[in-house]
Amino acid sequence: TIGTTAKQIRTLLTWQVLRLSAAGIGAGLVLGYLVGLAASPAVLARTNYSAFYKPSLNPLFFISAVFFSALTVYISSRKSYRLAMRISPVEAARYRERNEKKKKVWSAVSFMLSGIIFLVVFTLTLGYNVENMVDRYHTADVRIRQDAMMWDNEEPYQPIRQSMVEEIEKLPFIAETAIYYQARRHEEGILGGCEAGYAQLRLTDELKEEFARCVQMGTGWMNQADNGDILLDLWGLPADQLYLEEENIRVLEGSLDAEKFASGKYVIYNQGTNQSGRAAGNIHAGQVLHLSILDPDTGAYVEREAEVLAVVERINPFSTGLVAKAALTFPDGAFQEIYSGYADMITIIQANGFRELTQEEYGQLEEIVRNSFNFQLSIESRVEERQAQRKEKASMILIGLFLAGVFGIIGICNVVNTLVTGVLSRKLEFAAMQSVGMTKKQMCSMIGREGLLLSGISVLAAIPLGVFFCRVLGKAILFFSSFSAGIFAAGCGILLAVMCGVSLSVALLLTRFLTRRPVVERLREAE
């Protein structure tokens, strides 16, 4: 009305936005760093991650925070700029929010996004399942492993002695043991000691194309020896243990028939892929392989025919499965027929108790391993894993509560901001309704209902998306255990209760704020 141009109005608004942004972002950077400096060590000191935390003053953190905040301010202010520059003075004086439905939709979407983030963080961290994690790594109560079979060692190879196996079997609390064999050559490793366990086979016509595929894949699934033979992992295991492998591999062709496998006429072929879902190699179930396998103790090649029982691939990224590590898997009887020195090729001993072992019983097994004076052996168990995972769960819960609280505060601020701005833009409307008889109680009830409706719709919309993201992230991010329906339901209840409480509290405060001045005085604001 006094001649200010659209460009001048934009300049005025820009100056106001810049002042508010500078104050808000500056305070956020300082307070955020100080709070992080105080809160992060306090939280992480009680977790397993305290040794990995170090506070940093990296300027990139501050620059990225400023950039992100400034970008959101710029995007959110563009509509206000356009509206302020094109609206006439008369319209401005009479302006009322005309697109309430659209605004409510965007508010609900905003609430929903905050709710999804809260539910995902809450569920995946507080829903950490100790037993699921123990099952990921162990199919038996105890596993003793010859580590020199897995990678090159600086020392000469020290086999697991049969006497140690017998000593374990004599323990009164051990119900059963299972011995797994792995082929190895008598070659010096790159570290000067022994090399990892590999079988050496002649490159027959059946294996040439498969070897070429593995080389093209670049996975190192098969390698070539100096004389042109191929090197691969070849294992032997008891047929009655085959069922334990089914959860860790995907059968692409054939079947894991334990009865057929026990006959010694079959072999399982692992094509070296991971979750491809298809048979990609040149070896197929039902095919008879003519193998020529070097027995390093005699120096002779053992000729053997074996039908491919199944073509498999790995699906479990953890160390639970054993067949998933082997290119060729024979039953233990067939392995012993191929390798005359099989007694020195024990790679893993698995043992189960009549019930799950206690810490004291596990200690006896540890002592047997120590007394063998074989420093190439390692031992692990469900009881030890459970203790470690309980500590991990405590860490997850603490971090989860901290992060869920942070995202919860962000969501609450979002709710409060939307409700307050929506009500304040309708001050004249509420004043007019009060002038025709609306009471404070009715006003509070009206504002509260609007908040509860938005909160309820947002939470209901967040639930299916929250379930989806929890399931996807629970599988994709390996340090999460799984999706917990009970914890997710608890998170939904907390989210709904907090949003409802915030909506009702804001309704009470806004009603008190709006009714402080007389109705006539508020109606004159439009004049």
Side-chain angles (χ1 to χ4, degrees), residues 182-243:
Q182 183 177 353
R184 63 175 300 271
R185 306 187 302 162
H186 301 327
E187 300 292 330
E188 185 176 291
I190 58 174
L191 299 177
C194 60
E195 70 168 12
Y198 293 108
Q200 182 172 331
L201 290 77
R202 282 186 175 141
L203 191 59
T204 59
D205 292 338
E206 297 160 314
L207 296 175
K208 280 182 181 178
E209 292 184 3
E210 188 65 9
F211 176 68
R213 180 188 70 85
C214 292
V215 171
Q216 187 177 10
M217 285 170 54
T219 59
W221 196 244
M222 293 183 183
N223 298 300
Q224 196 157 27
D226 295 336
N227 66 349
D229 287 354
I230 59 172
L231 305 176
L232 50 75
D233 282 334
L234 189 153
W235 286 54
L237 74 157
D240 60 2
Q241 300 293 307
L242 193 59
Y243 74 97

Side-chain angles (χ1 to χ4, degrees), residues 179-183 199 201 221 232-239 241-242 245 249 256 260-262 264-271 289 291 293 304 306-310 312 321-335 338-339:
I179 297 175
Y180 294 73
Y181 299 94
Q182 183 177 353
L201 290 77
W221 196 244
L232 50 75
D233 282 334
L234 189 153
W235 286 54
L237 74 157
Q241 300 293 307
L242 193 59
E245 307 297 322
I249 56 176
L256 297 180
K260 284 185 177 180
F261 188 65
K265 299 177 181 179
Y266 293 87
V267 65
I268 297 170
Y269 178 66
N270 187 339
Q271 68 177 17
L289 299 180
L291 303 173
I293 306 170
R304 190 171 189 90
E307 183 178 337
V308 178
L309 179 66
V312 301
L322 300 174
V323 169
K325 300 180 181 70
L328 294 174
T329 303
F330 285 93
D332 52 1
F335 186 95
I338 296 169
Y339 292 100

Side-chain angles (χ1 to χ4, degrees), residues 7 121 147 172 203 257 341 349 434 506:
K7 186 176 181 180
V121 172
D147 290 335
L203 191 59
D257 189 322
I349 303 171
Q434 271 194 293
V506 171

Side-chain angles (χ1 to χ4, degrees), residues 258-333:
E259 187 175 346
K260 284 185 177 180
F261 188 65
S263 69
K265 299 177 181 179
Y266 293 87
V267 65
I268 297 170
Y269 178 66
N270 187 339
Q271 68 177 17
T273 52
N274 184 22
Q275 298 190 4
S276 69
R278 63 189 182 88
N282 303 286
I283 295 176
H284 302 280
Q287 179 180 350
V288 177
L289 299 180
H290 301 82
L291 303 173
S292 184
I293 306 170
L294 176 66
D295 181 354
D297 289 282
T298 62
Y301 286 86
V302 178
E303 306 297 327
R304 190 171 189 90
E305 289 187 356
E307 183 178 337
V308 178
L309 179 66
V311 176
V312 301
E313 69 173 352
R314 183 172 187 163
I315 59 172
N316 190 343
F318 304 100
S319 59
T320 320
L322 300 174
V323 169
K325 300 180 181 70
L328 294 174
T329 303
F330 285 93
D332 52 1

Side-chain angles (χ1 to χ4, degrees), residues 194-488:
C194 60
E195 70 168 12
Y198 293 108
Q200 182 172 331
L201 290 77
R202 282 186 175 141
L203 191 59
T204 59
D205 292 338
E206 297 160 314
L207 296 175
K208 280 182 181 178
E209 292 184 3
E210 188 65 9
F211 176 68
R213 180 188 70 85
C214 292
V215 171
Q216 187 177 10
M217 285 170 54
T219 59
W221 196 244
M222 293 183 183
N223 298 300
Q224 196 157 27
D226 295 336
N227 66 349
D229 287 354
I230 59 172
L231 305 176
L232 50 75
D233 282 334
L234 189 153
W235 286 54
L237 74 157
D240 60 2
Q241 300 293 307
L242 193 59
Y243 74 97
L244 295 173
E245 307 297 322
E246 294 178 356
E247 295 181 2
N248 307 299
I249 56 176
R250 177 185 286 117
V251 178
L252 303 173
E253 292 181 358
S255 65
L256 297 180
D257 189 322
E259 187 175 346
K260 284 185 177 180
F261 188 65
S263 69
K265 299 177 181 179
Y266 293 87
V267 65
I268 297 170
Y269 178 66
N270 187 339
Q271 68 177 17
T273 52
N274 184 22
Q275 298 190 4
S276 69
R278 63 189 182 88
N282 303 286
I283 295 176
H284 302 280
Q287 179 180 350
V288 177
L289 299 180
H290 301 82
L291 303 173
S292 184
I293 306 170
L294 176 66
D295 181 354
D297 289 282
T298 62
Y301 286 86
V302 178
E303 306 297 327
R304 190 171 189 90
E305 289 187 356
E307 183 178 337
V308 178
L309 179 66
V311 176
V312 301
E313 69 173 352
R314 183 172 187 163
I315 59 172
N316 190 343
F318 304 100
S319 59
T320 320
L322 300 174
V323 169
K325 300 180 181 70
L328 294 174
T329 303
F330 285 93
D332 52 1
F335 186 95
Q336 293 170 6
E337 292 173 1
I338 296 169
Y339 292 100
S340 58
Y342 68 88
D344 289 341
M345 294 184 182
I346 298 174
T347 185
I348 283 175
I349 303 171
Q350 291 204 143
N352 285 307
F354 292 101
R355 46 172 175 69
E356 188 158 316
L357 306 184
T358 64
Q359 188 66 45
E360 292 74 19
E361 290 168 341
Y362 173 69
Q364 294 182 47
L365 286 161
E366 277 190 314
E367 187 175 358
I368 290 174
V369 173
R370 282 196 303 270
N371 292 339
S372 71
F373 297 103
N374 186 343
F375 300 106
Q376 295 174 353
L377 303 186
S378 61
I379 181 171
E380 52 193 24
S381 71
R382 290 179 66 88
V383 63
E384 287 286 297
E385 187 69 39
R386 183 173 289 105
Q387 287 188 355
Q389 292 301 333
R390 282 172 179 164
K391 294 179 181 177
E392 189 74 14
K393 181 175 182 177
S395 301
M396 282 286 181
I397 290 175
L398 193 60
I399 293 173
L401 288 173
F402 178 72
L403 292 178
V406 170
F407 288 115
I409 291 171
I410 293 172
I412 290 170
C413 292
N414 197 3
V415 171
V416 172
N417 181 59
T418 304
L419 292 177
V420 170
T421 54
V423 170
L424 293 182
S425 68
R426 297 156 56 200
K427 287 192 294 183
L428 184 61
E429 177 186 332
F430 284 109
M433 286 191 289
Q434 271 194 293
S435 69
V436 295
M438 174 183 270
T439 63
K440 289 183 181 181
K441 185 177 180 181
Q442 288 172 324
M443 180 188 293
C444 182
S445 177
M446 181 180 176
I447 298 172
R449 280 198 307 272
E450 291 179 1
L452 291 174
L453 181 62
L454 281 175
S455 299
I457 292 174
S458 303
V459 173
L460 290 176
I463 288 174
L465 288 172
V467 171
F468 171 76
F469 284 113
C470 283
R471 289 188 179 279
V472 170
L473 295 176
K475 291 181 179 179
I477 303 176
L478 300 182
F479 58 79
F480 292 137
S481 59
S482 62
F483 171 76
S484 171
I487 298 296
F488 183 83

